[in-house]
Structure formats: structure tokens, C-alpha cells
Amino acid sequence: MPHRVTFIPGDGIGPEVAQAARRCVEATGVAFRWDERIAGEAAIKEFNTPLPEETLQSVRENRVAIKGPITTPIGKGFRSVNVALRKQLNLYACVRPCRSYAGVLAPAQGVDLVIVRENTEDLYAGIEFPAGRDRTAALIKQLSDWTSQPIQPDAAISIKPISTTASERIVTFAFEYALAHGRKKVTAVHKANIMKETDGLFMEASRRIAAAYQGRVAFEDRLVDATSMQLVLRPKDFDIIVTENLYGDILSDLCAGLIGGLGVAPGANIGDGVAVFEAVHGSAPKYAGQDKVNPTAMILSGMMMLQHLGEHEPAKRLDAAVAAVLKEGRAVTYDLKRDRNDPSAVGTKAMADAVIERLKRTAVRVSR
Ligand code: NAD
């Protein structure tokens, strides 16, 4: 039975990299029935909304989607499609593996860790009060009465909700992911020494959940500032990092930098029974339609999708094919060359072709 998957090309460089990923996952021999749906600029033109209900409905029905990046229009009143998708489908876990590949110029080598970021609350909840408004002044007065903490009258305020429900859910997800992927340790990252209530709650929740996995998966918790330094100095100390929304956002970019940048950083947003696979990078509009950017992050997101679908052997073959192309360093895009103006750099499509060519070679070897 072919896997039914919603395919959302996205906009900007989205369609190019999403198509590259689609061709590569198909080349593993796994059968798909794609349900292609639009979001982003094309959807604004056709439906006057960047996230049409029929696209959402398709993901709800198929339960798996692969999506190219989507531009957030500035000043047109549209919210980020990416954030809206996560909210509408309750995709509470953002999973971002960071792995070193030979041949990719990077500040660190031998990195192999996964960031599991809580997706639904924290300062990202968007509960904000602008400076100078009556409601903000009332809030400041109320807070000053309750806490005796001085707050400047011209302050803007953002609210950071951290719940036991969401914290236990994401930490449980991280431990289950560890078991499913043969990972040995979970590190919970917080700033509980300063934010004793919110981060303290997250820390306590992670310790409670960890106790249930004792003997199967190791556990530690660390402060986010110390973790940032240790990630740079000793990235191999980390296996799975589970953390709140904002820290996860920052640490996953730090880790993407460690392994060579956005061009090679895949990701997934996962909820109960629904998963959307997408690169960490955005729609890089200035490169749109040029067949220039690196498809690796999207292809590796496709590899994660194969794992999620239980297609472990094809996923391994795809990963090995990508690794071989990167290691050889010949049919790779400009950003993977030592000199970014290297005329031997190939385009998005040709790099995907090289991965497909590798896959075919391994398929021949397997069948012999
Ligand atoms: P971006 O990731 O699109 O691009 C930043 C820079 O990174 C690019 O100019 C390019 O130099 C480099 N880059 C990104 N992807 C690359 C690739 N595959 N190969 C080679 N180089 C690559 O970030 P941005 O410019 O901040 O955002 C552009 C738009 O994308 C915004 O509208 C933003 O909201 C949106 N965005 C979408 C998603 C998503 O769809 N999940 C994620 C992040 C940003």
C-alpha cells in the first residue's frame, strides 16, 4: 500500500527543495500517493489566505505531510503559516536532529544530537502587551501591587506560560523518541535558578518523567547558558536535548551552525498522530527560482519522514546516499564549496540527481 502524504511545495525556494526531497524519497523505492496542496503565496492568490482549510484538512486526513518553507508576508496582516499549522494541528514537538556529515565545512565534527523543542507555549505563545496602552498600564499596576517589583511605566510586557501538561508531554515525547531511535541520554535544558516558577516547573516535570525511564535512558538537567557553552566546547556530550520553546529555537540554530549551517539542518513538527516534515531554513526569497540552494535539509527531512512511516531501511539508504554525495563534495551546491564562487558548484536539481544516482547504485548492489 502506498503511503498517502500531503505534499506542500511552499513558496520562495520551497518548491525547488521540496521537489528535490520528493524525488529522493521516491527513488528509495517506497511507494507514495501524494496529495499536493498549496499554502503561502500561491494560496493567498487563489484563496486569499496563506493556509486554506482544504490544505489543513488534507494533513489531518493523511496524518503525514512534507512541506517546503513558506514566507511570512510582512505587514499584510497574515500570520506565519508555519506557526498557524503547528497551532491548528497541535504539533507540540519540534524535532531537529543535528548531525555532522563528512565533507561539510563546520566548526565541529562528530556531532550527533537531537533537539526536541516544545512548540505550543512559552514566550512564543504571543501573549503580548504593547508599551503605552491603557491595558498595559493596568497590568503593570496590578503586577507591581502583587509582587512589589518595580516595572518601568513605559515597559512592554510578554507573558511566559509554562504548564505541567505541556512540559510532561514534551519530556515524555523526548524519552519515547530516545527509546524508538536507540538514543542513550536526555538532557532537559532550563533556567530554573532564575525563573523559579516557569522553568522550575519544567525542571520538576522533566525530573518526574525521567524517573519513569530510569535504567532505560539516562537523564540530566542543565542550565541553558551553560549548555550553550558546552554545546560549542563539547557537543559530543549531548544526545537528546529537550527544552522550552524559546531556548529550543535558539539552541537549534546554534546546533545547525555547529554542523555547517541551515542548508543541512532537517526537522519535523509532530503531534499526537500527525507529523509535518520540513527543513529548519526559511524560504530565502532572494534565491527563489534560481535552482541554486542546497536541497540537503529538505532531503534529510524526507529521510526523517521515511523513518516516521516505519520505512527504516530505505531511510538508512537515503541517509547513506546523502552522506556519500556530501563526502565526495563534487555534485554539491555553492554553500557547500570551500569557495562560494566555485564554478564547479551544481544547482538544487543536480544535487538531488546525484543523491538519486547514489541510491540507484546501492539498490543495484543490494539486488545482486
Ligand atoms: P532563510 O532561512 O529563508 O534564509 C536565510 C539565509 O540562509 C538565506 O538568505 C541563505 O543565504 C541561507 N539559506 C537558507 N536556506 C538555504 C539553503 N537551502 N541553501 C543555501 N542557503 C540557504 O531565513 P529568512 O531570510 O530569515 O526568512 C525568509 C522567509 O522564510 C521569511 O518570510 C520567514 O518568515 C520564512 N521562514 C519560514 C520557515 C518555514 O517555512 N518553516 C522557517 C524560517 C523562516
Side-chain angles (χ1 to χ4, degrees):
M1 274 275 282
H3 297 286
R4 268 193 79 89
V5 172
T6 303
F7 178 75
I8 305 172
D11 58 35
I13 58 168
E16 299 161 55
V17 288
Q19 193 59 33
R22 175 169 161 170
R23 288 171 54 230
C24 288
V25 293
E26 279 177 343
T28 63
V30 174
F32 288 96
R33 259 180 72 202
W34 302 104
D35 186 9
E36 186 162 338
R37 301 288 165 159
I38 55 173
E41 276 167 9
I44 294 174
K45 278 193 200 123
E46 195 173 329
F47 296 99
N48 198 32
T49 167
L51 183 57
E53 181 51 36
E54 58 157 57
T55 300
L56 264 176
Q57 196 48 36
S58 165
V59 184
R60 280 194 197 104
E61 277 167 26
N62 294 325
R63 313 194 78 77
V64 179
I66 186 159
K67 158 187 168 299
I70 292 172
T71 311
T72 303
I74 299 170
K76 287 190 193 160
F78 292 118
R79 284 188 320 159
S80 158
V81 172
N82 312 298
V83 175
L85 251 181
R86 286 169 211 165
K87 282 204 167 144
Q88 297 274 346
L89 300 170
N90 197 20
L91 304 173
Y92 60 82
C94 177
V95 179
R96 291 180 169 174
C98 291
R99 207 173 121 205
S100 302
Y101 285 90
V104 179
L105 287 174
Q109 294 301 326
V111 180
D112 183 9
L113 60 86
V114 182
I115 307 240
V116 175
R117 162 186 171 192
E118 206 289 322
N119 245 350
T120 66
E121 48 183 28
D122 195 357
L123 289 163
Y124 264 76
I127 308 168
E128 300 212 282
F129 296 85
R133 300 276 172 84
D134 289 349
R135 275 215 299 187
T136 314
L139 183 62
I140 289 173
K141 181 172 180 321
Q142 183 69 79
L143 291 172
S144 304
D145 290 350
W146 278 340
T147 65
S148 322
Q149 299 278 2
I151 301 174
Q152 295 286 0
D154 56 354
I157 308 259
S158 294
I159 303 287
K160 171 172 171 155
I162 299 287
S163 68
T164 300
T165 306
S167 301
E168 289 188 347
R169 184 174 61 182
I170 195 69
V171 178
T172 304
F173 180 94
F175 275 97
E176 289 298 323
Y177 186 94
L179 289 176
H181 291 81
R183 298 267 171 181
K184 303 277 177 274
K185 184 171 78 171
V186 170
T187 304
V189 173
H190 54 76
K191 186 76 179 165
N193 56 336
I194 302 298
M195 276 160 281
K196 294 186 191 300
E197 300 307 330
T198 48
D199 286 30
L201 182 154
F202 180 82
M203 182 190 74
E204 290 302 335
S206 59
R207 289 179 179 176
R208 252 192 329 275
I209 299 295
Y213 292 86
Q214 210 175 5
R216 290 185 290 162
V217 183
F219 173 75
E220 62 180 359
D221 65 86
R222 296 195 189 197
L223 296 174
V224 66
D225 42 353
T227 301
S228 307
M229 184 182 70
Q230 293 302 337
L231 275 169
V232 174
L233 293 178
R234 278 189 283 278
K236 290 181 196 166
D237 281 1
F238 295 90
D239 194 349
I240 290 187
I241 288 177
V242 61
T243 190
E244 296 165 15
N245 208 337
L246 180 62
Y247 306 145
D249 185 35
I250 298 167
L251 292 182
S252 55
D253 267 31
L254 189 156
C255 291
L258 280 181
I259 59 160
L262 287 173
V264 290
N269 289 296
I270 302 179
D272 288 327
V274 187
V276 176
F277 295 84
E278 61 177 338
V280 173
H281 65 72
S283 59
K286 70 177 175 188
Y287 293 116
Q290 293 179 28
D291 186 34
K292 185 173 166 109
V293 296
N294 189 348
T296 305
M298 253 334 276
I299 296 172
L300 292 177
S301 304
M303 191 271 290
M304 290 174 72
M305 181 178 79
L306 288 173
Q307 288 177 335
H308 177 84
L309 292 169
E311 301 285 0
H312 295 290
E313 189 274 335
K316 263 192 198 143
R317 280 194 290 115
L318 179 54
D319 188 48
V322 171
V325 169
L326 291 171
K327 187 172 180 189
E328 198 178 65
R330 219 163 34 86
V332 296
T333 47
Y334 74 101
D335 57 308
L336 293 169
K337 296 283 185 183
R338 197 165 282 275
D339 170 6
R340 287 186 154 227
N341 296 314
D342 186 334
S344 73
V346 303
T348 311
K349 194 172 166 298
M351 186 165 173
D353 288 342
V355 171
I356 292 165
E357 191 51 43
R358 281 277 170 177
L359 272 170
K360 280 189 193 150
R361 271 195 247 164
T362 49
V364 170
R365 242 181 277 141
V366 170
S367 65
R368 266 182 195 154

PDB file of all heavy atoms in Angstrom, residues 284-305:
ATOM      1  N   ALA A 284      14.040  31.778   1.833  1.00  0.00           N
ATOM      2  CA  ALA A 284      15.143  32.501   1.173  1.00  0.00           C
ATOM      3  C   ALA A 284      14.706  33.150  -0.145  1.00  0.00           C
ATOM      4  O   ALA A 284      15.219  32.803  -1.212  1.00  0.00           O
ATOM      5  CB  ALA A 284      16.328  31.554   0.948  1.00  0.00           C
ATOM      6  N   PRO A 285      13.744  34.098  -0.105  1.00  0.00           N
ATOM      7  CA  PRO A 285      13.125  34.592  -1.356  1.00  0.00           C
ATOM      8  C   PRO A 285      14.129  35.088  -2.393  1.00  0.00           C
ATOM      9  O   PRO A 285      13.876  34.966  -3.594  1.00  0.00           O
ATOM     10  CB  PRO A 285      12.231  35.743  -0.877  1.00  0.00           C
ATOM     11  CG  PRO A 285      12.033  35.523   0.576  1.00  0.00           C
ATOM     12  CD  PRO A 285      13.221  34.769   1.088  1.00  0.00           C
ATOM     13  N   LYS A 286      15.278  35.605  -1.942  1.00  0.00           N
ATOM     14  CA  LYS A 286      16.200  36.166  -2.952  1.00  0.00           C
ATOM     15  C   LYS A 286      16.790  35.086  -3.868  1.00  0.00           C
ATOM     16  O   LYS A 286      17.308  35.398  -4.934  1.00  0.00           O
ATOM     17  CB  LYS A 286      17.303  36.998  -2.283  1.00  0.00           C
ATOM     18  CG  LYS A 286      18.325  36.229  -1.488  1.00  0.00           C
ATOM     19  CD  LYS A 286      19.395  37.174  -0.932  1.00  0.00           C
ATOM     20  CE  LYS A 286      20.336  36.402  -0.025  1.00  0.00           C
ATOM     21  NZ  LYS A 286      21.281  37.175   0.702  1.00  0.00           N
ATOM     22  N   TYR A 287      16.701  33.814  -3.464  1.00  0.00           N
ATOM     23  CA  TYR A 287      17.217  32.725  -4.311  1.00  0.00           C
ATOM     24  C   TYR A 287      16.108  31.983  -5.063  1.00  0.00           C
ATOM     25  O   TYR A 287      16.382  31.004  -5.760  1.00  0.00           O
ATOM     26  CB  TYR A 287      18.002  31.728  -3.469  1.00  0.00           C
ATOM     27  CG  TYR A 287      19.290  32.287  -2.898  1.00  0.00           C
ATOM     28  CD1 TYR A 287      19.471  32.406  -1.531  1.00  0.00           C
ATOM     29  CD2 TYR A 287      20.317  32.703  -3.740  1.00  0.00           C
ATOM     30  CE1 TYR A 287      20.651  32.923  -1.001  1.00  0.00           C
ATOM     31  CE2 TYR A 287      21.499  33.224  -3.224  1.00  0.00           C
ATOM     32  CZ  TYR A 287      21.651  33.341  -1.859  1.00  0.00           C
ATOM     33  OH  TYR A 287      22.810  33.845  -1.347  1.00  0.00           O
ATOM     34  N   ALA A 288      14.858  32.442  -4.898  1.00  0.00           N
ATOM     35  CA  ALA A 288      13.725  31.697  -5.478  1.00  0.00           C
ATOM     36  C   ALA A 288      13.869  31.547  -6.984  1.00  0.00           C
ATOM     37  O   ALA A 288      14.247  32.492  -7.678  1.00  0.00           O
ATOM     38  CB  ALA A 288      12.408  32.401  -5.145  1.00  0.00           C
ATOM     39  N   GLY A 289      13.581  30.353  -7.489  1.00  0.00           N
ATOM     40  CA  GLY A 289      13.540  30.099  -8.921  1.00  0.00           C
ATOM     41  C   GLY A 289      14.898  30.055  -9.596  1.00  0.00           C
ATOM     42  O   GLY A 289      14.989  30.003 -10.819  1.00  0.00           O
ATOM     43  N   GLN A 290      15.964  30.055  -8.823  1.00  0.00           N
ATOM     44  CA  GLN A 290      17.311  30.078  -9.433  1.00  0.00           C
ATOM     45  C   GLN A 290      17.964  28.696  -9.505  1.00  0.00           C
ATOM     46  O   GLN A 290      19.088  28.577  -9.976  1.00  0.00           O
ATOM     47  CB  GLN A 290      18.217  31.021  -8.646  1.00  0.00           C
ATOM     48  CG  GLN A 290      17.805  32.473  -8.740  1.00  0.00           C
ATOM     49  CD  GLN A 290      18.730  33.367  -7.931  1.00  0.00           C
ATOM     50  OE1 GLN A 290      19.908  33.064  -7.723  1.00  0.00           O
ATOM     51  NE2 GLN A 290      18.211  34.469  -7.456  1.00  0.00           N
ATOM     52  N   ASP A 291      17.317  27.675  -8.991  1.00  0.00           N
ATOM     53  CA  ASP A 291      17.902  26.330  -8.949  1.00  0.00           C
ATOM     54  C   ASP A 291      19.313  26.396  -8.350  1.00  0.00           C
ATOM     55  O   ASP A 291      20.261  25.890  -8.927  1.00  0.00           O
ATOM     56  CB  ASP A 291      17.947  25.726 -10.378  1.00  0.00           C
ATOM     57  CG  ASP A 291      18.406  24.276 -10.359  1.00  0.00           C
ATOM     58  OD1 ASP A 291      18.092  23.560  -9.394  1.00  0.00           O
ATOM     59  OD2 ASP A 291      19.115  23.874 -11.303  1.00  0.00           O
ATOM     60  N   LYS A 292      19.424  27.025  -7.209  1.00  0.00           N
ATOM     61  CA  LYS A 292      20.753  27.310  -6.663  1.00  0.00           C
ATOM     62  C   LYS A 292      20.967  26.742  -5.252  1.00  0.00           C
ATOM     63  O   LYS A 292      22.057  26.299  -4.910  1.00  0.00           O
ATOM     64  CB  LYS A 292      20.911  28.838  -6.620  1.00  0.00           C
ATOM     65  CG  LYS A 292      22.279  29.290  -6.179  1.00  0.00           C
ATOM     66  CD  LYS A 292      22.406  30.796  -6.340  1.00  0.00           C
ATOM     67  CE  LYS A 292      23.632  31.290  -5.578  1.00  0.00           C
ATOM     68  NZ  LYS A 292      24.722  31.723  -6.332  1.00  0.00           N
ATOM     69  N   VAL A 293      19.899  26.757  -4.428  1.00  0.00           N
ATOM     70  CA  VAL A 293      20.119  26.470  -2.998  1.00  0.00           C
ATOM     71  C   VAL A 293      20.260  24.982  -2.708  1.00  0.00           C
ATOM     72  O   VAL A 293      19.920  24.123  -3.534  1.00  0.00           O
ATOM     73  CB  VAL A 293      18.980  27.048  -2.112  1.00  0.00           C
ATOM     74  CG1 VAL A 293      18.950  28.560  -2.196  1.00  0.00           C
ATOM     75  CG2 VAL A 293      17.646  26.427  -2.485  1.00  0.00           C
ATOM     76  N   ASN A 294      20.732  24.739  -1.512  1.00  0.00           N
ATOM     77  CA  ASN A 294      21.059  23.392  -1.055  1.00  0.00           C
ATOM     78  C   ASN A 294      19.783  22.607  -0.697  1.00  0.00           C
ATOM     79  O   ASN A 294      19.034  23.023   0.179  1.00  0.00           O
ATOM     80  CB  ASN A 294      21.943  23.554   0.193  1.00  0.00           C
ATOM     81  CG  ASN A 294      22.532  22.258   0.666  1.00  0.00           C
ATOM     82  OD1 ASN A 294      22.132  21.192   0.234  1.00  0.00           O
ATOM     83  ND2 ASN A 294      23.484  22.362   1.563  1.00  0.00           N
ATOM     84  N   PRO A 295      19.560  21.454  -1.336  1.00  0.00           N
ATOM     85  CA  PRO A 295      18.344  20.683  -1.010  1.00  0.00           C
ATOM     86  C   PRO A 295      18.537  19.722   0.167  1.00  0.00           C
ATOM     87  O   PRO A 295      17.601  19.022   0.553  1.00  0.00           O
ATOM     88  CB  PRO A 295      18.109  19.878  -2.299  1.00  0.00           C
ATOM     89  CG  PRO A 295      19.489  19.640  -2.834  1.00  0.00           C
ATOM     90  CD  PRO A 295      20.324  20.838  -2.444  1.00  0.00           C
ATOM     91  N   THR A 296      19.762  19.666   0.759  1.00  0.00           N
ATOM     92  CA  THR A 296      20.066  18.623   1.755  1.00  0.00           C
ATOM     93  C   THR A 296      19.099  18.634   2.935  1.00  0.00           C
ATOM     94  O   THR A 296      18.608  17.584   3.362  1.00  0.00           O
ATOM     95  CB  THR A 296      21.515  18.785   2.275  1.00  0.00           C
ATOM     96  OG1 THR A 296      22.387  18.783   1.155  1.00  0.00           O
ATOM     97  CG2 THR A 296      21.897  17.660   3.223  1.00  0.00           C
ATOM     98  N   ALA A 297      18.829  19.836   3.492  1.00  0.00           N
ATOM     99  CA  ALA A 297      17.974  19.899   4.681  1.00  0.00           C
ATOM    100  C   ALA A 297      16.591  19.312   4.383  1.00  0.00           C
ATOM    101  O   ALA A 297      16.025  18.590   5.206  1.00  0.00           O
ATOM    102  CB  ALA A 297      17.843  21.348   5.152  1.00  0.00           C
ATOM    103  N   MET A 298      16.065  19.612   3.185  1.00  0.00           N
ATOM    104  CA  MET A 298      14.736  19.078   2.834  1.00  0.00           C
ATOM    105  C   MET A 298      14.812  17.580   2.560  1.00  0.00           C
ATOM    106  O   MET A 298      13.908  16.827   2.937  1.00  0.00           O
ATOM    107  CB  MET A 298      14.221  19.778   1.579  1.00  0.00           C
ATOM    108  CG  MET A 298      13.125  20.789   1.657  1.00  0.00           C
ATOM    109  SD  MET A 298      11.935  20.770   2.968  1.00  0.00           S
ATOM    110  CE  MET A 298      10.743  19.598   2.397  1.00  0.00           C
ATOM    111  N   ILE A 299      15.896  17.136   1.901  1.00  0.00           N
ATOM    112  CA  ILE A 299      16.026  15.694   1.611  1.00  0.00           C
ATOM    113  C   ILE A 299      16.132  14.919   2.929  1.00  0.00           C
ATOM    114  O   ILE A 299      15.511  13.869   3.111  1.00  0.00           O
ATOM    115  CB  ILE A 299      17.255  15.422   0.704  1.00  0.00           C
ATOM    116  CG1 ILE A 299      17.064  16.086  -0.665  1.00  0.00           C
ATOM    117  CG2 ILE A 299      17.480  13.924   0.534  1.00  0.00           C
ATOM    118  CD1 ILE A 299      18.290  16.044  -1.575  1.00  0.00           C
ATOM    119  N   LEU A 300      16.898  15.469   3.886  1.00  0.00           N
ATOM    120  CA  LEU A 300      17.021  14.793   5.184  1.00  0.00           C
ATOM    121  C   LEU A 300      15.710  14.861   5.971  1.00  0.00           C
ATOM    122  O   LEU A 300      15.417  13.963   6.769  1.00  0.00           O
ATOM    123  CB  LEU A 300      18.174  15.389   6.003  1.00  0.00           C
ATOM    124  CG  LEU A 300      19.579  15.101   5.432  1.00  0.00           C
ATOM    125  CD1 LEU A 300      20.647  15.800   6.269  1.00  0.00           C
ATOM    126  CD2 LEU A 300      19.866  13.586   5.378  1.00  0.00           C
ATOM    127  N   SER A 301      14.904  15.898   5.740  1.00  0.00           N
ATOM    128  CA  SER A 301      13.567  15.927   6.350  1.00  0.00           C
ATOM    129  C   SER A 301      12.732  14.787   5.754  1.00  0.00           C
ATOM    130  O   SER A 301      11.952  14.131   6.463  1.00  0.00           O
ATOM    131  CB  SER A 301      12.869  17.270   6.094  1.00  0.00           C
ATOM    132  OG  SER A 301      13.658  18.334   6.568  1.00  0.00           O
ATOM    133  N   GLY A 302      12.917  14.550   4.466  1.00  0.00           N
ATOM    134  CA  GLY A 302      12.253  13.410   3.809  1.00  0.00           C
ATOM    135  C   GLY A 302      12.728  12.090   4.411  1.00  0.00           C
ATOM    136  O   GLY A 302      11.934  11.154   4.596  1.00  0.00           O
ATOM    137  N   MET A 303      14.020  12.030   4.732  1.00  0.00           N
ATOM    138  CA  MET A 303      14.570  10.821   5.364  1.00  0.00           C
ATOM    139  C   MET A 303      13.903  10.601   6.726  1.00  0.00           C
ATOM    140  O   MET A 303      13.531   9.473   7.084  1.00  0.00           O
ATOM    141  CB  MET A 303      16.082  11.005   5.514  1.00  0.00           C
ATOM    142  CG  MET A 303      16.850   9.780   5.908  1.00  0.00           C
ATOM    143  SD  MET A 303      16.973   9.595   7.678  1.00  0.00           S
ATOM    144  CE  MET A 303      18.077  10.929   8.095  1.00  0.00           C
ATOM    145  N   MET A 304      13.708  11.695   7.475  1.00  0.00           N
ATOM    146  CA  MET A 304      13.009  11.573   8.773  1.00  0.00           C
ATOM    147  C   MET A 304      11.576  11.091   8.566  1.00  0.00           C
ATOM    148  O   MET A 304      11.042  10.330   9.367  1.00  0.00           O
ATOM    149  CB  MET A 304      12.984  12.934   9.485  1.00  0.00           C
ATOM    150  CG  MET A 304      14.336  13.396   9.988  1.00  0.00           C
ATOM    151  SD  MET A 304      14.224  15.084  10.653  1.00  0.00           S
ATOM    152  CE  MET A 304      13.309  14.824  12.176  1.00  0.00           C
ATOM    153  N   MET A 305      10.962  11.556   7.471  1.00  0.00           N
ATOM    154  CA  MET A 305       9.583  11.126   7.186  1.00  0.00           C
ATOM    155  C   MET A 305       9.544   9.617   6.922  1.00  0.00           C
ATOM    156  O   MET A 305       8.647   8.920   7.409  1.00  0.00           O
ATOM    157  CB  MET A 305       9.035  11.892   5.977  1.00  0.00           C
ATOM    158  CG  MET A 305       7.619  11.519   5.628  1.00  0.00           C
ATOM    159  SD  MET A 305       6.995  12.473   4.242  1.00  0.00           S
ATOM    160  CE  MET A 305       7.755  11.628   2.864  1.00  0.00           C
TER     161      MET A 305
END
